[in-house]
């Protein structure tokens, strides 16, 4: 097995490994796979990094949401409080750099593990939301897909006195709240069928990414000249499988992440540095 590239260090002349990264991206046909580390500069914490919430709490799982009405109620109460912070988040310099590189013709599509919609808000095109998007809901009874903003307005009308402060909001919009404030929350039904339950249109932990979505992503990868992973530890297989497939196909892999990743041994280029500094400089070097 080839040894993993050593973690690069910042130097007086810039970030080590950035020259190799710029050379790879300049060749074009780059497919981006992004993770939560790209959105931390927008105020959205990740699960496993320096601000990682997974170390402090267990996120909502598909099994709990589906089988436990109390757990589902608790999720929506917390999500109601946390949603405004997610909705107010704006693209950061990293998102903007990705969009500029794409407009310059160097990047193809974007596969994101994030559910915040910030790639699209920055102007990126052909974005596949691997884990769905928090800006939509789906009814588990009738399958109706609706916008999150109208739901939030309905919830606000149904809960005029429910306004606890959230000390912490997780990447899935689930705010940390004490259990003793949750009983007063009122959930609303689906407007299409009058029943429900409603679910955010995201893939929870323990839930399977739809097969057609995965196949679309594999097709994007097979057409790409290289794979650029941004801000993902690749801990979960839903993202790591694309690195494994790229290695099988002989497609070069570049990883930019602050800290080690599961895919380091598969990387042709490895940059260990903050994305907010690396990506704007990468765009500048590539003329974007």
């Amino acid at each position: 097995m080839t040894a993993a590239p050593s973690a690069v260090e910042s130097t007086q002349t810039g970030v080590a490994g950035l020259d190799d990264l710029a050379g790879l991206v300049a060749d074009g046909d780059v497919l981006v796979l992004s993770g939560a580390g790209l959105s931390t500069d927008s105020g959205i914490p990740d699960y496993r990094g320096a601000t990682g919430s997974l170390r402090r709490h267990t996120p909502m799982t598909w099994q709990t949401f589906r089988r436990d009405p109390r757990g589902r109620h608790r999720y929506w109460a917390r999500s109601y409080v946390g949603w405004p912070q997610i909705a107010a988040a704006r693209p950061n310099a990293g998102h903007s750099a990705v969009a500029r590189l794409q407009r310059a013709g160097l990047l193809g599509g974007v596969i994101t593990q994030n559910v915040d919609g910030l790639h699209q808000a920055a102007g990126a095109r052909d974005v596949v939301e691997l884990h769905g998007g928090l800006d939509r809901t789906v009814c588990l009874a009738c399958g109706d897909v609706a916008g999150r903003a109208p739901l939030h307005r309905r919830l606000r009308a149904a809960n005029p006195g429910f306004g606890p402060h959230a000390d912490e909001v997780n990447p899935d919009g689930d705010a940390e709240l004490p259990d003793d404030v949750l009983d007063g929350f009122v959930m609303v039904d689906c407007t299409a069928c009058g029943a429900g339950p409603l679910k955010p249109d995201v893939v929870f932990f323990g839930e399977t990414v739809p097969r057609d979505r995965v196949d679309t992503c594999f097709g994007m990868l097979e057409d790409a000249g290289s794979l650029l992973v941004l801000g993902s530890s690749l801990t979960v297989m839903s993202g790591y499988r694309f690195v494994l497939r790229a290695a099988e196909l002989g497609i070069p892999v570049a990883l930019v992440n602050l800290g080690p990743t599961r895919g380091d041994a598969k990387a042709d280029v490895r940059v260990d540095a903050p994305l907010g500094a690396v990506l704007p400089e990468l765009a500048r070097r590539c003329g974007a």
Side-chain angles (χ1 to χ4, degrees):
M1 177 181 294
T2 303
S6 59
V8 301
E9 300 176 352
S10 296
T11 69
Q12 291 183 344
T13 57
V15 176
L18 191 51
D19 287 341
D20 291 337
L21 180 62
L24 187 73
V25 172
D27 288 338
D29 292 326
V30 180
L31 174 64
V32 166
L33 170 64
S34 68
L38 185 58
S39 291
T40 54
D41 285 349
S42 294
I44 300 176
D46 63 8
Y47 274 117
R48 296 179 175 85
T51 62
S53 62
L54 195 60
R55 295 176 289 109
R56 296 186 295 276
H57 92 298
T58 301
M60 174 57 66
T61 66
W62 170 231
Q63 291 77 12
T64 297
F65 191 90
R66 181 181 57 183
R67 299 172 183 169
D68 181 4
R70 175 70 178 169
R72 192 161 56 240
H73 183 86
R74 184 168 57 248
Y75 170 83
W76 276 117
R78 292 174 169 177
S79 186
Y80 170 68
V81 174
W83 168 246
Q85 180 175 330
I86 301 295
R90 294 295 177 261
N92 60 53
H95 295 110
S96 298
V98 169
R100 294 204 310 273
L101 287 164
Q102 190 180 49
R103 286 195 297 271
L106 299 175
L107 306 185
V110 175
I111 302 169
T112 184
Q113 297 173 281
N114 300 336
V115 295
D116 51 41
L118 293 179
H119 273 300
Q120 299 93 315
R125 308 178 311 277
D126 301 322
V127 178
V128 176
E129 295 176 309
L130 189 64
H131 295 156
L134 274 176
D135 61 341
R136 304 180 300 275
T137 63
V138 60
C139 177
L140 297 184
C142 71
D144 182 65
V145 177
R148 179 63 177 267
L151 172 64
H152 190 74
R153 290 193 292 269
R154 294 171 58 217
L155 288 173
R156 190 168 55 213
N159 296 275
F162 190 85
H165 173 73
D167 293 327
E168 209 174 290
V169 176
N170 303 310
D172 59 2
D174 180 0
E176 291 296 311
L177 296 175
D179 287 341
D180 59 4
V181 306
L182 301 178
D183 289 338
F185 177 76
V186 176
M187 186 53 191
V188 297
D189 294 324
C190 171
T191 57
C193 69
L198 296 175
K199 174 183 178 290
D201 192 14
V202 299
V203 177
F204 282 131
F205 281 79
E207 189 176 1
T208 302
V209 178
R211 186 68 240 179
D212 59 344
R213 195 178 302 168
V214 174
D215 290 341
T216 295
C217 293
F218 276 136
M220 295 166 68
L221 177 61
E222 290 164 6
D223 291 337
S226 61
L227 176 65
L228 173 58
V229 181
L230 303 175
S232 176
S233 64
L234 299 170
T235 302
V236 295
M237 183 56 74
S238 67
Y240 183 49
R241 59 181 147 195
F242 299 113
V243 172
L244 294 177
R245 178 66 66 87
E248 290 174 0
L249 297 174
I251 295 172
V253 175
L255 303 178
V256 184
N257 191 63
L258 191 59
T261 82
R262 187 182 183 185
D264 286 352
K266 304 291 186 183
D268 298 275
V269 178
R270 174 78 172 93
V271 177
D272 188 342
L275 277 78
V278 170
L279 293 180
E281 175 62 15
L282 174 65
R284 187 191 70 80
R285 293 192 185 197
C286 292

